[in-house]
mmCIF file of all heavy atoms in Angstrom:
data_model
loop_
_atom_site.group_PDB
_atom_site.id
_atom_site.type_symbol
_atom_site.label_atom_id
_atom_site.label_comp_id
_atom_site.label_asym_id
_atom_site.label_seq_id
_atom_site.Cartn_x
_atom_site.Cartn_y
_atom_site.Cartn_z
ATOM 1 N N VAL A 249 104.279 82.134 98.005
ATOM 2 C CA VAL A 249 104.558 82.856 96.759
ATOM 3 C C VAL A 249 104.159 81.987 95.561
ATOM 4 O O VAL A 249 104.112 80.757 95.661
ATOM 5 C CB VAL A 249 106.066 83.223 96.723
ATOM 6 C CG1 VAL A 249 106.929 81.989 96.524
ATOM 7 C CG2 VAL A 249 106.355 84.275 95.695
ATOM 8 N N ARG A 250 103.832 82.643 94.454
ATOM 9 C CA ARG A 250 103.565 81.875 93.218
ATOM 10 C C ARG A 250 104.898 81.641 92.521
ATOM 11 O O ARG A 250 105.568 82.609 92.150
ATOM 12 C CB ARG A 250 102.667 82.662 92.273
ATOM 13 C CG ARG A 250 101.275 82.855 92.771
ATOM 14 C CD ARG A 250 100.402 83.458 91.669
ATOM 15 N NE ARG A 250 99.118 83.820 92.211
ATOM 16 C CZ ARG A 250 98.804 85.049 92.626
ATOM 17 N NH1 ARG A 250 99.673 86.027 92.517
ATOM 18 N NH2 ARG A 250 97.626 85.310 93.140
ATOM 19 N N PHE A 251 105.263 80.375 92.361
ATOM 20 C CA PHE A 251 106.518 80.082 91.666
ATOM 21 C C PHE A 251 106.260 80.080 90.160
ATOM 22 O O PHE A 251 105.927 79.063 89.572
ATOM 23 C CB PHE A 251 107.073 78.722 92.093
ATOM 24 C CG PHE A 251 107.606 78.714 93.492
ATOM 25 C CD1 PHE A 251 107.167 77.773 94.408
ATOM 26 C CD2 PHE A 251 108.539 79.657 93.906
ATOM 27 C CE1 PHE A 251 107.663 77.755 95.702
ATOM 28 C CE2 PHE A 251 109.037 79.647 95.201
ATOM 29 C CZ PHE A 251 108.590 78.699 96.099
ATOM 30 N N MET A 252 106.369 81.249 89.555
ATOM 31 C CA MET A 252 106.171 81.344 88.101
ATOM 32 C C MET A 252 107.411 81.957 87.487
ATOM 33 O O MET A 252 108.074 82.772 88.127
ATOM 34 C CB MET A 252 104.982 82.256 87.790
ATOM 35 C CG MET A 252 103.646 81.570 87.996
ATOM 36 S SD MET A 252 102.297 82.703 87.756
ATOM 37 C CE MET A 252 102.534 83.194 86.088
ATOM 38 N N ASP A 253 107.689 81.576 86.248
ATOM 39 C CA ASP A 253 108.821 82.201 85.571
ATOM 40 C C ASP A 253 108.560 83.694 85.458
ATOM 41 O O ASP A 253 107.419 84.123 85.268
ATOM 42 C CB ASP A 253 108.987 81.605 84.164
ATOM 43 C CG ASP A 253 109.399 80.157 84.246
ATOM 44 O OD1 ASP A 253 109.954 79.769 85.293
ATOM 45 O OD2 ASP A 253 109.144 79.416 83.282
ATOM 46 N N LYS A 254 109.646 84.474 85.571
ATOM 47 C CA LYS A 254 109.487 85.927 85.502
ATOM 48 C C LYS A 254 108.859 86.329 84.176
ATOM 49 O O LYS A 254 109.291 85.880 83.113
ATOM 50 C CB LYS A 254 110.842 86.605 85.650
ATOM 51 C CG LYS A 254 111.255 86.673 87.095
ATOM 52 C CD LYS A 254 112.504 87.469 87.300
ATOM 53 C CE LYS A 254 112.896 87.377 88.758
ATOM 54 N NZ LYS A 254 114.297 87.411 88.982
ATOM 55 N N GLY A 255 107.866 87.161 84.232
ATOM 56 C CA GLY A 255 107.230 87.658 83.011
ATOM 57 C C GLY A 255 106.122 86.755 82.487
ATOM 58 O O GLY A 255 105.368 87.164 81.617
ATOM 59 N N LYS A 256 106.024 85.544 83.016
ATOM 60 C CA LYS A 256 104.978 84.647 82.531
ATOM 61 C C LYS A 256 103.631 85.089 83.121
ATOM 62 O O LYS A 256 103.536 85.405 84.293
ATOM 63 C CB LYS A 256 105.281 83.213 82.958
ATOM 64 C CG LYS A 256 104.309 82.222 82.378
ATOM 65 C CD LYS A 256 104.676 80.805 82.719
ATOM 66 C CE LYS A 256 103.601 79.866 82.215
ATOM 67 N NZ LYS A 256 103.757 78.529 82.715
ATOM 68 N N MET A 257 102.623 85.118 82.270
ATOM 69 C CA MET A 257 101.312 85.538 82.757
ATOM 70 C C MET A 257 100.447 84.319 83.038
ATOM 71 O O MET A 257 100.573 83.300 82.366
ATOM 72 C CB MET A 257 100.618 86.410 81.719
ATOM 73 C CG MET A 257 101.265 87.754 81.616
ATOM 74 S SD MET A 257 100.293 88.860 80.657
ATOM 75 C CE MET A 257 101.475 90.168 80.458
ATOM 76 N N GLU A 258 99.555 84.485 84.026
ATOM 77 C CA GLU A 258 98.644 83.381 84.337
ATOM 78 C C GLU A 258 97.533 83.403 83.298
ATOM 79 O O GLU A 258 96.733 84.333 83.278
ATOM 80 C CB GLU A 258 98.037 83.580 85.725
ATOM 81 C CG GLU A 258 99.056 83.541 86.827
ATOM 82 C CD GLU A 258 98.625 84.390 88.001
ATOM 83 O OE1 GLU A 258 97.865 83.906 88.839
ATOM 84 O OE2 GLU A 258 99.057 85.552 88.062
ATOM 85 N N ASN A 259 97.514 82.410 82.450
ATOM 86 C CA ASN A 259 96.456 82.353 81.443
ATOM 87 C C ASN A 259 95.167 81.848 82.058
ATOM 88 O O ASN A 259 95.174 81.183 83.095
ATOM 89 C CB ASN A 259 96.878 81.426 80.302
ATOM 90 C CG ASN A 259 97.829 82.130 79.363
ATOM 91 O OD1 ASN A 259 97.667 83.309 79.078
ATOM 92 N ND2 ASN A 259 98.842 81.410 78.914
ATOM 93 N N MET A 260 94.061 82.142 81.377
ATOM 94 C CA MET A 260 92.774 81.619 81.833
ATOM 95 C C MET A 260 92.552 80.294 81.118
ATOM 96 O O MET A 260 92.449 80.275 79.870
ATOM 97 C CB MET A 260 91.672 82.618 81.493
ATOM 98 C CG MET A 260 91.763 83.860 82.337
ATOM 99 S SD MET A 260 90.538 85.089 81.851
ATOM 100 C CE MET A 260 91.301 85.745 80.388
ATOM 101 N N PRO A 261 92.477 79.178 81.849
ATOM 102 C CA PRO A 261 92.402 77.859 81.200
ATOM 103 C C PRO A 261 91.250 77.748 80.213
ATOM 104 O O PRO A 261 91.404 77.151 79.148
ATOM 105 C CB PRO A 261 92.222 76.896 82.382
ATOM 106 C CG PRO A 261 92.745 77.640 83.569
ATOM 107 C CD PRO A 261 92.516 79.079 83.308
ATOM 108 N N VAL A 262 90.088 78.335 80.529
ATOM 109 C CA VAL A 262 88.940 78.206 79.623
ATOM 110 C C VAL A 262 89.249 78.877 78.283
ATOM 111 O O VAL A 262 88.971 78.327 77.209
ATOM 112 C CB VAL A 262 87.696 78.889 80.267
ATOM 113 C CG1 VAL A 262 86.500 78.808 79.342
ATOM 114 C CG2 VAL A 262 87.372 78.250 81.597
ATOM 115 N N ILE A 263 89.858 80.044 78.353
ATOM 116 C CA ILE A 263 90.190 80.780 77.128
ATOM 117 C C ILE A 263 91.283 80.046 76.356
ATOM 118 O O ILE A 263 91.265 79.958 75.131
ATOM 119 C CB ILE A 263 90.648 82.214 77.468
ATOM 120 C CG1 ILE A 263 89.572 82.938 78.268
ATOM 121 C CG2 ILE A 263 91.015 82.997 76.217
ATOM 122 C CD1 ILE A 263 88.297 83.187 77.522
ATOM 123 N N MET A 264 92.251 79.503 77.129
ATOM 124 C CA MET A 264 93.345 78.761 76.472
ATOM 125 C C MET A 264 92.778 77.608 75.639
ATOM 126 O O MET A 264 93.198 77.363 74.514
ATOM 127 C CB MET A 264 94.308 78.209 77.514
ATOM 128 C CG MET A 264 95.542 79.085 77.697
ATOM 129 S SD MET A 264 96.511 78.557 79.069
ATOM 130 C CE MET A 264 96.903 76.897 78.692
ATOM 131 N N ASN A 265 91.812 76.908 76.219
ATOM 132 C CA ASN A 265 91.186 75.796 75.492
ATOM 133 C C ASN A 265 90.551 76.294 74.198
ATOM 134 O O ASN A 265 90.673 75.667 73.145
ATOM 135 C CB ASN A 265 90.117 75.126 76.363
ATOM 136 C CG ASN A 265 90.752 74.189 77.380
ATOM 137 O OD1 ASN A 265 91.971 74.020 77.390
ATOM 138 N ND2 ASN A 265 89.942 73.600 78.224
ATOM 139 N N GLU A 266 89.864 77.432 74.293
ATOM 140 C CA GLU A 266 89.204 77.985 73.102
ATOM 141 C C GLU A 266 90.228 78.329 72.030
ATOM 142 O O GLU A 266 90.040 78.051 70.845
ATOM 143 C CB GLU A 266 88.419 79.241 73.472
ATOM 144 C CG GLU A 266 87.028 78.929 73.978
ATOM 145 C CD GLU A 266 86.164 80.169 74.057
ATOM 146 O OE1 GLU A 266 86.308 81.049 73.194
ATOM 147 O OE2 GLU A 266 85.359 80.243 74.993
ATOM 148 N N VAL A 267 91.318 78.975 72.467
ATOM 149 C CA VAL A 267 92.346 79.389 71.507
ATOM 150 C C VAL A 267 92.986 78.160 70.862
ATOM 151 O O VAL A 267 93.187 78.110 69.647
ATOM 152 C CB VAL A 267 93.408 80.278 72.197
ATOM 153 C CG1 VAL A 267 94.576 80.572 71.266
ATOM 154 C CG2 VAL A 267 92.781 81.572 72.679
ATOM 155 N N LYS A 268 93.266 77.151 71.694
ATOM 156 C CA LYS A 268 93.907 75.937 71.144
ATOM 157 C C LYS A 268 93.039 75.286 70.096
ATOM 158 O O LYS A 268 93.505 74.896 69.023
ATOM 159 C CB LYS A 268 94.165 74.937 72.288
ATOM 160 C CG LYS A 268 95.428 75.232 73.068
ATOM 161 C CD LYS A 268 95.639 74.145 74.102
ATOM 162 C CE LYS A 268 96.748 74.492 75.052
ATOM 163 N NZ LYS A 268 96.759 73.628 76.232
ATOM 164 N N THR A 269 91.738 75.180 70.390
ATOM 165 C CA THR A 269 90.868 74.524 69.410
ATOM 166 C C THR A 269 90.627 75.413 68.200
ATOM 167 O O THR A 269 90.370 74.915 67.105
ATOM 168 C CB THR A 269 89.510 74.129 70.046
ATOM 169 O OG1 THR A 269 89.060 75.212 70.839
ATOM 170 C CG2 THR A 269 89.624 72.909 70.905
ATOM 171 N N MET A 270 90.757 76.737 68.395
ATOM 172 C CA MET A 270 90.615 77.642 67.250
ATOM 173 C C MET A 270 91.791 77.450 66.288
ATOM 174 O O MET A 270 91.635 77.391 65.077
ATOM 175 C CB MET A 270 90.578 79.078 67.756
ATOM 176 C CG MET A 270 90.321 80.124 66.710
ATOM 177 S SD MET A 270 90.342 81.735 67.471
ATOM 178 C CE MET A 270 92.098 82.046 67.540
ATOM 179 N N LEU A 271 92.993 77.312 66.875
ATOM 180 C CA LEU A 271 94.180 77.157 66.046
ATOM 181 C C LEU A 271 94.261 75.758 65.438
ATOM 182 O O LEU A 271 94.775 75.570 64.344
ATOM 183 C CB LEU A 271 95.444 77.441 66.869
ATOM 184 C CG LEU A 271 95.629 78.896 67.315
ATOM 185 C CD1 LEU A 271 96.796 79.022 68.273
ATOM 186 C CD2 LEU A 271 95.842 79.807 66.114
ATOM 187 N N ASP A 272 93.776 74.799 66.210
ATOM 188 C CA ASP A 272 93.848 73.423 65.724
ATOM 189 C C ASP A 272 92.613 72.668 66.230
ATOM 190 O O ASP A 272 92.574 72.243 67.385
ATOM 191 C CB ASP A 272 95.135 72.769 66.258
ATOM 192 C CG ASP A 272 95.199 71.297 65.911
ATOM 193 O OD1 ASP A 272 94.352 70.848 65.105
ATOM 194 O OD2 ASP A 272 96.079 70.601 66.452
ATOM 195 N N PRO A 273 91.604 72.516 65.375
ATOM 196 C CA PRO A 273 90.359 71.880 65.833
ATOM 197 C C PRO A 273 90.580 70.487 66.423
ATOM 198 O O PRO A 273 89.760 70.018 67.216
ATOM 199 C CB PRO A 273 89.511 71.816 64.563
ATOM 200 C CG PRO A 273 90.061 72.900 63.687
ATOM 201 C CD PRO A 273 91.518 72.986 63.991
#
Side-chain angles (χ1 to χ4, degrees):
V249 70
R250 292 189 188 96
F251 289 127
M252 282 175 61
D253 293 337
K254 280 187 185 147
K256 185 176 175 191
M257 289 191 191
E258 296 151 84
N259 281 321
M260 290 176 283
V262 178
I263 303 295
M264 262 171 58
N265 281 358
E266 274 192 35
V267 173
K268 278 184 189 166
T269 44
M270 185 181 82
L271 292 172
D272 174 10

